[in-house]
Amino acid sequence: MSDNKRGSGGAGQRGSRKRQPSFETLREEIVRYAAGVSRGQESEALEAFQNLKAALNRGTVRAADCDDEGRWRANSWVKGGILLGFKLGQLQPVSSGGPFRFFDKDTFPLRTFESSDGVRIVPGGSAIRDGSYVAPGVICMPPMYINTGAYVGEGTMVDSHALVGSCAQIGRRVHLSAGVQIGGVLEPAGALPVIIEDEVLVGGNSGVYEGTIVRERAVLAPGTVLSAGTAVFDLVRDQIYRRSGDQPLEIPAGAVVVPGTRPVKSGPGAAAGIALYAPIIVKYRDEKTDSAVRLEDLLR
C-alpha cells in the first residue's frame, strides 16, 4: 500500500499565528467560516485559514487521505478552507525580480524554503505556492510549478515543465518526467483530486486529470493521458477500467500503460478507418521494467 496516508513556509502578510488549534478545532473553524464570514469576523476567519495553510505546509493536514484498505477520500473541509483563502485574499504585487509585474492574492504567496528543509530546488523559473507540502528529498527541476493544497512525498522528482495541480497527492519516490501535467481538482470541494501513489513513473508529456488514481509502482509511458472519460484496456488481465459513478478511474499497482488506439466500429468513422485514443496496459512491472527505470536513482 502507498505510504501516502499521512516544512513550513511563507503564509501571507495578514493574520495572527499565535494560537495552534487542535485538529478538531481547526476543522470546525474552517467549516464554519467556509459557509460564510459575517461582518466583523474577517480577522478570525483569516487566522483560521492561516492555521490551515501552516498545517498543509507541514503535511499534517491533507486534501485527501487513504485508509488502511487503500481507499482514498477527499477532505472537503480542507478544500473548502483553501477556497476560503481566495475569498479572504486581496490582490497585491508579487516580486518577480524583473520588469514584468505580477499580482496575486496576499493569502497565497510563494513558499519560502531553507536548506534545512532538504528540498532541492534548481534555479530557473520554478515556483511552489504556499499551502503545499514538499517533503525532504524532493527534487524540483526548472521550470516547474506546485500549486496550493498539493502534497509531494519524499524523494520525488518534479522534472522540467511539470505541473502538480492544486490538491494533487503525489507519493514517495515518484518521477514526474518533463512536461507532465497532474491536474488540480479544487472544486467541487468533495471531488477527489488526482492521486499518484508511491514509486510511480510518469513518462514525459503525460497527463493525469479529474481524480484519477494511479496505484503504486505503475508506469505511464510517455504521452499517456488519463481522465474521467478514459477507458483503459488491460491486455494482461482482459479487463477494461473506467470511471463508474463516484468511483474514479483507477490504474492497478505495477501496471505498465502505453498510448494506443481502438477502431471506430460503425458509422462514418468506421468507413474512414478512424481510430480513437485508448491507453493500454501491456504488462505489469517485472525485473526488466525495474532495470529500465533504475537509472533515475543517479539523478537523486
Side-chain angles (χ1 to χ4, degrees):
M1 175 177 300
S2 170
D3 192 44
N4 285 330
K5 296 180 185 176
R6 289 267 190 245
S8 63
Q13 302 301 315
R14 301 181 296 132
S16 169
R17 300 186 199 173
K18 292 183 179 180
R19 63 187 181 94
Q20 296 295 325
S22 67
F23 177 87
E24 292 76 13
T25 299
L26 176 60
R27 180 170 56 186
E28 291 174 0
E29 291 178 344
I30 291 297
V31 169
R32 180 169 69 252
Y33 293 124
V37 180
S38 301
R39 184 181 299 274
Q41 292 185 328
E42 292 85 358
S43 61
E44 290 84 356
L46 182 61
E47 182 177 18
F49 165 72
Q50 300 287 19
N51 287 329
L52 171 64
K53 194 168 59 172
L56 286 167
N57 284 339
R58 295 191 300 269
T60 55
V61 166
R62 296 177 61 167
D65 285 313
C66 186
D67 64 22
D68 291 337
E69 297 181 1
R71 293 174 300 199
W72 284 91
R73 62 177 178 83
N75 290 323
S76 59
W77 72 273
V78 174
K79 298 172 74 177
I82 294 171
L83 293 170
L84 172 66
F86 284 106
K87 294 177 183 177
L88 295 172
Q90 299 175 5
L91 282 179
Q92 69 171 10
V94 178
S95 175
S96 65
F100 195 78
R101 302 187 72 191
F102 297 90
F103 300 86
D104 200 1
K105 293 294 185 78
D106 62 352
T107 44
F108 288 98
L110 297 182
R111 274 202 61 179
T112 58
F113 289 84
E114 303 293 339
S115 59
S116 58
D117 293 320
V119 179
R120 177 181 163 198
I121 305 174
V122 179
S126 297
I128 299 172
R129 209 172 194 182
D130 204 18
S132 58
Y133 176 69
V134 183
V138 169
I139 301 170
C140 300
M141 300 300 293
M144 47 67 63
Y145 188 75
I146 298 174
N147 208 344
T148 190
Y151 182 105
V152 183
E154 295 178 7
T156 284
M157 174 176 281
V158 185
D159 217 331
S160 300
H161 298 284
L163 164 69
V164 179
S166 55
C167 299
Q169 305 290 294
I170 311 297
R172 299 168 61 182
R173 296 189 60 78
V174 170
H175 189 143
L176 303 179
S177 302
V180 164
Q181 303 291 290
I182 303 298
V185 181
L186 186 53
E187 294 185 275
L192 187 72
V194 173
I195 308 293
I196 308 292
E197 291 191 343
D198 297 346
E199 299 184 10
V200 169
L201 171 62
V202 184
N205 294 316
S206 294
V208 186
Y209 308 103
E210 298 175 298
T212 296
I213 299 176
V214 181
R215 292 293 185 178
E216 58 186 344
R217 302 186 71 251
V219 176
L220 307 184
T224 300
V225 177
L226 302 172
S227 68
T230 305
V232 180
F233 295 81
D234 190 336
L235 303 184
V236 180
R237 299 176 178 174
D238 191 21
Q239 296 186 47
I240 300 175
Y241 307 111
R242 52 167 54 96
R243 181 178 181 175
S244 177
D246 294 334
Q247 299 301 312
L249 171 65
E250 184 172 320
I251 302 301
V256 178
V257 188
V258 303
T261 61
R262 53 174 172 153
V264 175
K265 295 183 178 181
S266 62
I274 292 175
L276 302 176
Y277 169 74
I280 300 169
I281 297 175
V282 294
K283 61 181 290 187
Y284 282 77
R285 280 183 73 158
D286 53 21
E287 291 184 4
K288 184 176 180 181
T289 309
D290 290 341
S291 64
V293 301
R294 196 166 293 140
L295 286 175
E296 295 174 27
D297 290 338
L298 299 177
L299 301 175
R300 299 181 187 275

